[in-house]
Amino acid sequence: MKIAIASGKGGTGKTTLSVNLAYYLSGKLGKKVVLADLDVEEPNSGLFLKGKLLKEQPEYRPVPVWQPDKCTFCGKCNSLCNFNAIASLPKTILVFKELCHSCYACSELCPEDALPMENLKMGISRVFSINQNFTFLEGVLDIGQESAVPLIKKIKELAENKINKDSLLLFDSPPGTSCPVIEATKDADLVILITEPTPFGFHDLRLAVKTMRELDKKILVVINRYGIGNKDIEKYCKKQNIEIAGKIPYSRKVAELYSKGLLLESCLEVQKELEKIAKQIYTNLNIY
């Protein structure tokens, strides 16, 4: 089962919930858990997890390379590319690798085989063992790479190779509602949207709900920093028939533990909420 933890905006607590929920499920409940940090532009789940590095490797994506000795300047590659990654000029072909989506259309359909694909490094992946039930993966995008989506896709593939029928796969998703979030959540069985009771949090929660409903996803909401702001999110969720799975309290102790890079296992209030969230996950995914 794949569970994506997402939000409409950054800073709401995706990573806080992801690492603590994964640790709770693997430790307290003894479940096999794989957590993948898909926020490859700024991964930070690893800041809270101490484990053994099992593997680190570069990750690549294919891009076309122009072979001038084969090219007849027919212009077909330029007309085929939907992403403006190729410009056909009278005496040269320009390939903009940053814009390439690795769709292979130009390479496969070039009549002269003048655009073979080669691998371009886009980042690295790391795999850690946290405990006997908990495996953690993260991707780190190279500086200058235009799109996070190819690396997110690669980290998901690596994570799926680590699971078995008894495992839960958690995705710590990027913030927002753009392409990286779509890639992170598109094949999830359940999406947990974490928000905060502020006008900004409420505004972006509605955007995230609209996006997930376009993808036809099961949705749960978790309210972080509960106790500040107002009840607008609770009223909205009731009106939209969305279950609120948990309410993580606005607490000085939580802030102190977080600032030290520590998990929240010593905070009983948070543990109670994690228990509630786990029960809602089991109910929604029919896990017994």
Side-chain angles (χ1 to χ4, degrees):
M1 293 293 183
K2 302 172 188 175
I3 303 162
I5 298 169
S7 70
K9 65 179 284 290
T12 55
K14 290 184 301 299
T15 296
T16 301
L17 179 59
S18 296
V19 296
N20 284 281
L21 182 59
Y23 198 79
Y24 176 81
L25 291 169
S26 65
K28 293 281 187 180
L29 302 187
K31 298 288 185 182
K32 294 288 185 182
V33 175
V34 177
L35 171 62
D37 191 342
L38 301 183
D39 189 4
V40 298
E41 293 175 89
E42 194 174 2
N44 53 20
S45 291
L47 298 176
F48 301 89
L49 298 171
K50 296 175 177 62
K52 180 182 179 182
L53 178 62
L54 300 179
K55 189 175 184 181
E56 179 176 327
Q57 65 185 27
E59 300 295 345
Y60 302 90
R61 63 184 181 91
V63 295
V65 178
W66 180 52
Q67 303 290 315
D69 56 321
K70 295 182 179 180
C71 185
T72 60
F73 302 98
C74 66
K76 193 170 186 178
C77 54
N78 181 61
S79 61
L80 284 169
C81 185
N82 288 326
F83 307 104
N84 298 313
I86 296 180
S88 178
L89 303 179
K91 294 184 178 180
T92 190
I93 300 293
L94 300 179
V95 177
F96 303 103
K97 297 179 180 180
E98 296 83 1
L99 300 179
C100 178
H101 282 54
S102 305
C103 71
Y104 277 82
C106 63
S107 181
E108 293 292 328
L109 298 176
C110 174
E112 307 300 330
D113 295 323
L115 286 164
M117 303 294 274
E118 73 170 18
N119 284 330
L120 175 70
K121 184 174 177 289
M122 58 179 170
I124 61 172
S125 63
R126 299 189 185 106
V127 182
F128 297 85
S129 174
I130 307 302
N131 59 46
Q132 62 180 0
N133 293 324
F134 187 177
T135 302
F136 169 62
L137 297 90
E138 69 175 359
V140 183
L141 193 70
D142 280 351
I143 294 172
Q145 288 294 311
E146 292 290 321
S147 176
V149 171
L151 186 54
I152 291 173
K153 188 180 296 185
K154 185 64 179 180
I155 300 302
K156 285 173 63 181
E157 291 172 1
L158 292 172
E160 288 166 8
N161 290 334
K162 297 290 180 183
I163 64 174
N164 55 47
K165 65 178 182 179
D166 299 319
S167 297
L168 288 174
L169 178 51
L170 303 183
F171 294 141
D172 182 3
S173 305
T177 56
S178 59
C179 295
V181 177
I182 302 301
E183 179 60 41
T185 60
K186 67 181 183 182
D187 54 359
D189 300 296
L190 175 68
V191 177
I192 300 175
L193 296 175
I194 186 162
T195 186
E196 58 190 14
T198 63
F200 197 1
F202 181 33
H203 174 270
D204 285 3
L205 172 66
R206 286 178 288 179
L207 295 178
V209 168
K210 184 177 180 182
T211 302
M212 292 305 117
R213 284 185 164 164
E214 285 290 324
L215 296 176
D216 195 26
K217 295 298 174 185
K218 288 184 179 181
I219 303 171
L220 293 176
V221 165
V222 170
I223 303 176
N224 192 23
R225 303 185 185 95
Y226 186 74
I228 63 173
N230 52 41
K231 303 291 184 179
D232 287 350
I233 288 175
E234 293 168 83
K235 294 175 184 176
Y236 168 79
C237 288
K238 184 176 181 179
K239 185 176 180 180
Q240 295 292 321
N241 197 29
I242 300 172
E243 292 181 73
I244 297 178
K247 301 171 182 176
I248 299 173
Y250 182 61
S251 160
R252 181 182 179 90
K253 184 175 182 180
V254 170
E256 288 177 351
L257 290 169
Y258 182 89
S259 69
K260 295 174 183 177
L262 299 175
L263 295 169
L264 306 180
E265 57 186 331
S266 63
C267 185
L268 294 179
E269 291 177 298
V270 174
Q271 290 296 303
K272 289 179 182 178
E273 295 305 312
L274 291 174
E275 183 180 354
K276 292 178 185 177
I277 295 166
K279 287 180 179 178
Q280 288 291 340
I281 290 171
Y282 295 156
T283 300
N284 279 269
L285 296 180
N286 296 317
I287 301 173
Y288 300 102

